[in-house]
Amino acid sequence: MTVNRTPPPPLNPPERLLMGPGPSNPDPRVLTAMGMNPIGHLDPYFVELMDQTMGALRGVFQTTNHHTLPISATGSAGLEAIMANLLESGDSCVVAVNGYFGLRLAELARRAGADVRTVEAAPGDTVDPAAIEALLVERPAKVLAFVHAETTTGACQSIPEMVSVARRHDALVVVDCVTTLGGVPLDVDAMGIDAAGSCSQKCLGAPAGLGPITVGPRAMEAVRARKQPPATWYLDFGLLFQYWGEPGGSPKRAFHHTAPIAAIYGFHEALRLILEEGLDARWARHQAAHEVLVRGLDVLGLSLFTPPAHRCSTINVIRTPDGIDEASVRARLLTMGVEMGGGLGVLAGKVWRVGVMGHNAQTARIEQFLGALDAALRAEGYSA
Ligand SMILES: *Cc1c(COP(=O)(O)O)cnc(C)c1O
């Protein structure tokens, strides 16, 4: 085969309303920020920007944890960093599993060398804290990990009960808040969460590429007490914070990797937008947009898969009506410039997943989505 040296055609990305389970459309201010002057990753202005970004991210996580930063990779890498630094060979970890992302947390813990026990719940349900407690009574665990809102089923796990169980048995609490941070109430310090990881592209409203995490003092103590350094070099907290800065540490930053400057510019602007809006107003906006969506779905004769008791405003899992091919509807919707998600795992072919996230959590955008969905469904022969 000969090497093809012809340049590809120029970029021409279509305009999309991104209503899937992430990414969401960033505010235009975020995209503008990403095109600003590039500088070096050790430039004094960039170091100042790193401090500002950490500070703003603490505000969004509602924490005083110094160790709060965006990992230079997507949400999964942030969660992997937490598991790989908190856990080592011989440690025990309990993971609540009610969908694909719970399974993934368990796999991250296993790969960190931990002995993993899971407590499962059916799709759409949340995990029973009493079942978690039963396992911890049997044998303690260093870490209890769970997903705040399981993006495959829309089920939102209530955090306080899980934290109480963990505290009674001296386990560290790790939360995957990838679909919730910036969209629904989450208060890391008041809730007693030891470590949490999210992503840039869902409710925080920036493009994909960063994995914001926060790690509290109890968790950092466990990291410092490790017998062996973590197997990962790129995600090693010890090395990462020589670059991002330890509290009271040297103002001189040690090179670790080249931070993705443009991504940090966009993320910084996204955090600024969140704190300008105010967290309470932002959560209320997500809730109001979710209610507009649910009322509109009802008019179309569609219903949500997730039981009302643990629905989450940011991730809406809709039952595909009988006799309708879910993939054809999604394909039609995309021709109208609107993206939504399909089902994953056991829900594949049975549901659609619609995100109400960040800049898209506004009535006009939800109505645009509903109008397109209505048209796509009619074209597929559906009538309510
Ligand atoms: C989207 C998502 C992830 C993965 O995040 P990436 O940024 O795609 O790596 C992990 N957990 C949950 C709950 C998610 O919704």
Side-chain angles (χ1 to χ4, degrees):
M1 207 175 118
T2 51
V3 174
N4 179 7
R5 293 178 175 176
T6 334
L11 273 177
N12 186 22
E15 202 178 315
R16 301 283 194 230
L17 176 64
L18 300 171
M19 296 297 293
S24 64
N25 296 90
D27 185 288
R29 261 174 58 182
V30 171
L31 299 177
T32 304
M34 293 180 79
M36 287 187 176
N37 299 325
I39 56 175
H41 58 286
L42 291 168
D43 187 303
Y45 179 71
F46 188 65
V47 171
E48 199 181 307
L49 210 58
M50 290 164 84
D51 289 343
Q52 286 178 18
T53 304
M54 288 171 93
L57 188 56
R58 285 184 200 112
V60 171
F61 271 120
Q62 301 202 83
T63 184
T64 58
N65 292 340
H66 170 82
H67 298 94
T68 302
L69 87 169
I71 294 283
S72 304
T74 69
S76 306
L79 294 167
E80 181 145 37
I82 290 172
M83 294 307 221
N85 282 273
L86 264 58
L87 293 166
E88 63 184 316
S89 171
D91 287 340
S92 170
C93 178
V94 168
V95 183
V97 175
N98 56 346
Y100 175 84
F101 289 105
L103 285 172
R104 189 188 275 189
L105 278 181
E107 182 59 16
L108 293 176
R110 254 178 238 116
R111 290 192 185 208
D115 161 30
V116 178
R117 290 171 290 163
T118 60
V119 177
E120 312 217 345
D125 285 348
T126 53
V127 174
D128 180 7
I132 300 270
E133 182 142 40
L135 275 195
L136 294 175
V137 165
E138 217 173 84
R139 185 155 46 90
K142 185 179 191 180
V143 166
L144 165 61
F146 61 93
V147 180
H148 187 197
E150 174 52 70
T151 316
T152 47
T153 67
C156 190
Q157 184 80 40
S158 169
I159 295 176
E161 293 82 351
M162 297 293 263
V163 172
S164 305
V165 169
R167 281 287 157 271
R168 281 200 287 279
H169 300 277
D170 211 22
L172 296 166
V173 177
V174 171
V175 181
D176 169 343
C177 57
V178 175
T179 347
T180 50
L181 186 68
V184 300
L186 182 77
D187 187 332
V188 164
D189 285 2
M191 287 174 162
I193 296 166
D194 293 294
S198 190
C199 74
S200 48
Q201 76 273 18
K202 296 184 186 179
C203 303
L204 297 183
L210 293 173
I213 61 168
T214 186
V215 187
R218 272 188 300 258
M220 283 308 294
E221 216 175 287
V223 173
R224 291 189 193 102
R226 293 179 65 94
K227 296 187 275 299
Q228 298 283 336
T232 169
W233 176 89
Y234 192 68
L235 301 173
D236 180 338
F237 286 167
L239 300 174
L240 275 173
F241 286 103
Q242 284 174 24
Y243 177 40
W244 282 84
E246 284 289 358
S250 152
K252 202 165 148 40
R253 305 299 171 91
F255 168 67
H256 178 250
H257 67 278
T258 309
I261 303 292
I264 302 277
Y265 287 171
F267 190 61
H268 180 274
E269 191 65 12
L271 296 174
R272 232 161 75 80
L273 278 158
I274 294 172
L275 297 173
E276 278 175 16
E277 179 176 10
L279 287 170
D280 292 307
R282 191 173 179 92
W283 297 329
R285 176 164 64 78
H286 280 75
Q287 182 62 31
H290 159 76
E291 286 167 17
V292 171
L293 175 68
V294 174
R295 278 195 298 274
L297 292 173
D298 194 49
V299 171
L300 295 179
L302 301 175
S303 61
L304 293 186
F305 166 80
T306 319
H310 38 256
R311 278 182 194 160
C312 182
S313 62
T314 60
I315 176 70
N316 299 270
V317 181
I318 304 165
R319 288 176 201 278
T320 304
D322 288 340
I324 295 293
D325 180 52
E326 77 81 16
S328 308
V329 176
R330 268 190 299 132
R332 252 182 220 283
L333 210 57
L334 201 59
T335 64
M336 298 177 222
V338 179
E339 179 182 275
M340 68 173 172
L344 263 187
V346 291
L347 294 178
K350 298 180 179 155
V351 297
W352 293 304
R353 293 183 303 143
V354 173
V356 170
M357 295 175 171
H359 188 56
N360 290 344
Q362 25 175 323
T363 304
R365 287 177 176 235
I366 302 298
E367 282 173 352
Q368 185 191 340
F369 167 74
L370 286 164
L373 180 61
D374 185 17
L377 280 167
R378 279 172 204 278
E380 288 292 311
Y382 171 81
S383 60

